[in-house]
Amino acid sequence: MTLPLTEETQERFSEAFIGQPEITVFAPGRVNLIGEHTDYNEGYVLPMAVDKGVAISGRKRSDSKIILYSSDFHQKDEFHLDAIRHDISRPWANYFKGVAYLLRKNGITLGGCEAVIKGDLPQGGGLSSSAALEVVSAVFLEKLFGVNLEDLDLVRLAQQAENEFVGVQCGIMDQFASYMGGKDHALFLDCRSLEHDWVPLGQDYKVVVFNTGVKRELASSDYNERRHQCEEGVRQLMKVLPSIRSLRDVSLRDFEKYQGQLDKVVLKRCRHVITENQRVLDTVEALKNKNWLRIKVLFRESHESLRDDYEVSCHELDTLVDLAQEHPLQVGSRMTGAGFGGCTIHLIPKDEQVIGNFVSFVADGYHKRLGKTPDHYVFSPSTGAKFLNDRAAKR
Ligand code: GLA
């Protein structure tokens, strides 16, 4: 029998360091239902936390050393609090280091500690293992050293760790979902004001995820390039719409009127973001009204827009979405996350037989077309990061 992740990090701690950990924290990954590449344009997103993620168990030390052991990579890393440096030979440790570095930069006093980290999300698979690692590190250091951070400050700090220390210009969605996710609810977030609301989802449907196994390197230039193209779009549109600050401020009507101002590629990027924002608002409305037919259309349009206008899909993602759309009981299929590989999501009625039938339908079709069987996961929306302070606690 496999142990729950949090029990496993507790066990591994005793092996790696001898004795017991003081605290254990778990932070989940996420899937995004809709609202892709809108977060860094100050738009809307609708992610949910999943029940896989990253756990950490650890305790304080009496000196200023931090010793981390990754149970996934079987690697140790050791550094002093006042000499925190990015290290390409230990990519997994950079997320923890980024968080510790930023806490200190914000004037928060930390001490030395030792900890074991382990995850059960596919890494680089588009389910936000990095955000989970940042959030779990932030909650761990917060609890261990009795720091009291406001929720939104903790989320922003985790995002900053990725932007400033790891070097990926991601938006705030993943860290927000990992920390604020709610059981059986999707999380509707306005990425400008950070106002948010939980929208019921888990009653009737589950989320099936297929992993193409195609690895995307988020730090690679593609993601940052899309972000720059959006900023360029804002610059070009400001000539006729001087009050806009981001693509969030451009209505569909204004976009249609002024799109002639834009270069060809920038126009496509902007069209995706502006139409996607509207699709998020429409999906929230449709979820509240249980209008599944509408959701099916919105998800399909989102995927097509990411494929044709934002150009972040790939053959494997398109194949999975095309196959899923042939199944009569799915009510929404699209790629999820940054793209360039990674995963697709599918809303499927909460019925084991239907889910089993859907999974074999898509997996068999995929195998016939591409000669491979994709991994899959079945998720219900889960709660955000959890802090467990004793060995009996389970997630
Ligand atoms: C990655 C980033 C997010 C978001 C998505 C695309 O997951 O970390 O901030 O931009 O891509 O929607």
Side-chain angles (χ1 to χ4, degrees):
M1 196 187 86
T2 45
L3 290 173
L5 199 59
T6 47
E7 281 182 37
E8 224 181 306
T9 49
Q10 287 162 342
E11 298 265 341
R12 296 287 95 82
F13 183 91
S14 313
E15 293 160 16
F17 296 106
I18 305 172
Q20 304 297 313
E22 263 171 76
I23 64 169
T24 295
V25 181
F26 169 79
R30 64 96 190 92
V31 291
N32 189 17
L33 294 173
I34 196 160
E36 224 61 88
H37 292 276
T38 46
D39 61 352
Y40 53 82
N41 288 297
E42 298 192 317
Y44 306 108
V45 292
L46 188 68
M48 59 174 232
V50 298
D51 56 5
K52 283 185 186 291
V54 181
I56 179 165
S57 289
R59 69 181 172 211
K60 290 195 217 63
R61 288 175 57 91
S62 53
D63 55 16
S64 61
K65 249 193 226 168
I66 296 191
I67 307 178
L68 303 174
Y69 178 73
S70 162
S71 180
D72 298 316
F73 296 99
H74 307 289
Q75 275 183 342
K76 242 189 194 168
D77 196 15
E78 194 173 317
F79 52 95
H80 275 272
L81 263 181
D82 40 17
I84 302 179
R85 293 204 184 87
H86 191 274
D87 174 3
I88 48 168
S89 74
R90 299 267 186 287
W92 56 271
N94 287 329
Y95 300 96
F96 186 103
K97 286 180 176 169
V99 168
Y101 173 82
L102 279 157
L103 282 168
R104 278 171 53 90
K105 197 172 153 196
N106 282 289
I108 289 160
T109 309
L110 303 175
C113 61
E114 46 204 20
V116 167
I117 302 174
K118 183 168 174 52
D120 58 0
L121 284 165
Q123 280 140 20
L127 300 182
S128 288
S129 49
S130 325
L133 192 41
E134 286 144 12
V135 169
V136 91
S137 306
V139 178
F140 173 77
L141 290 170
E142 185 202 25
K143 299 295 176 196
L144 194 66
F145 294 106
V147 183
N148 255 331
L149 289 178
E150 296 290 331
D151 289 346
L152 294 187
D153 289 340
L154 185 142
V155 170
R156 280 199 200 92
L157 188 129
Q159 180 203 7
Q160 255 180 307
E162 177 121 9
N163 293 166
E164 289 180 25
F165 200 86
V166 181
V168 182
Q169 296 307 311
C170 67
I172 200 164
M173 167 172 73
D174 304 344
Q175 293 79 6
F176 205 96
S178 177
Y179 191 63
M180 303 288 281
K183 189 169 163 44
D184 288 338
H185 286 74
L187 183 58
F188 171 52
L189 171 67
D190 176 336
C191 298
R192 170 175 280 169
S193 65
L194 298 189
E195 273 170 44
H196 52 279
D197 197 7
W198 290 268
V199 185
L201 175 69
Q203 311 292 332
D204 314 299
Y205 287 86
K206 285 211 176 211
V207 175
V208 174
V209 169
F210 279 107
N211 187 354
T212 59
V214 177
K215 292 260 168 145
R216 83 214 144 92
E217 204 23 85
L218 243 195
S220 75
S221 55
D222 291 327
Y223 182 90
N224 291 349
E225 183 194 60
R226 294 297 183 286
R227 202 173 166 144
H228 292 141
Q229 288 166 334
C230 292
E231 286 158 8
E232 182 53 30
V234 174
R235 266 194 294 278
Q236 294 179 10
L237 284 169
M238 270 173 100
K239 291 182 196 142
V240 283
L241 297 167
S243 64
I244 61 167
R245 229 173 69 197
S246 70
L247 289 180
R248 150 71 175 274
D249 299 313
V250 184
S251 66
L252 270 170
R253 232 168 127 200
D254 278 346
F255 174 72
E256 269 152 28
K257 197 160 153 197
Y258 297 121
Q259 52 181 303
Q261 295 289 322
L262 299 167
D263 299 349
K264 203 169 148 231
V265 173
V266 171
L267 183 147
K268 294 205 305 177
R269 307 298 188 247
C270 294
R271 183 166 55 206
H272 165 72
V273 173
I274 294 165
T275 55
E276 184 80 349
N277 270 331
Q278 187 58 45
R279 282 188 287 271
V280 179
L281 298 176
D282 293 348
T283 302
V284 172
E285 204 48 38
L287 271 178
K288 286 182 180 158
N289 297 324
K290 301 201 172 203
N291 186 347
W292 304 108
L293 273 178
R294 180 84 185 114
I295 291 174
K296 195 170 177 173
V297 172
L298 290 163
F299 272 41
R300 193 176 60 227
E301 288 175 356
S302 170
H303 184 81
E304 287 168 359
S305 176
L306 287 157
R307 184 190 64 200
D308 303 334
D309 274 350
Y310 222 64
E311 296 179 279
V312 291
S313 190
C314 63
H315 182 53
E316 291 82 350
L317 288 170
D318 294 341
T319 304
L320 286 168
V321 170
D322 288 350
L323 281 164
Q325 266 159 10
E326 288 168 21
H327 194 277
L329 295 178
Q330 64 86 27
V331 296
S333 291
R334 50 180 292 279
M335 55 154 277
T336 189
F340 317 107
C343 295
T344 56
I345 49 162
H346 313 271
L347 285 178
I348 309 295
K350 208 172 180 175
D351 174 306
E352 265 181 42
Q353 257 193 341
V354 174
I355 293 176
N357 177 280
F358 172 78
V359 168
S360 343
F361 178 84
V362 175
D364 292 352
Y366 191 82
H367 192 266
K368 267 191 210 121
R369 290 191 197 176
L370 300 185
K372 301 182 264 198
T373 305
D375 285 343
H376 77 276
Y377 320 93
V378 182
F379 292 126
S380 293
S382 302
T383 37
K386 287 183 201 63
F387 160 54
L388 317 171
N389 64 353
D390 65 39
R391 280 183 56 77
K394 295 203 173 63
R395 70 174 161 106

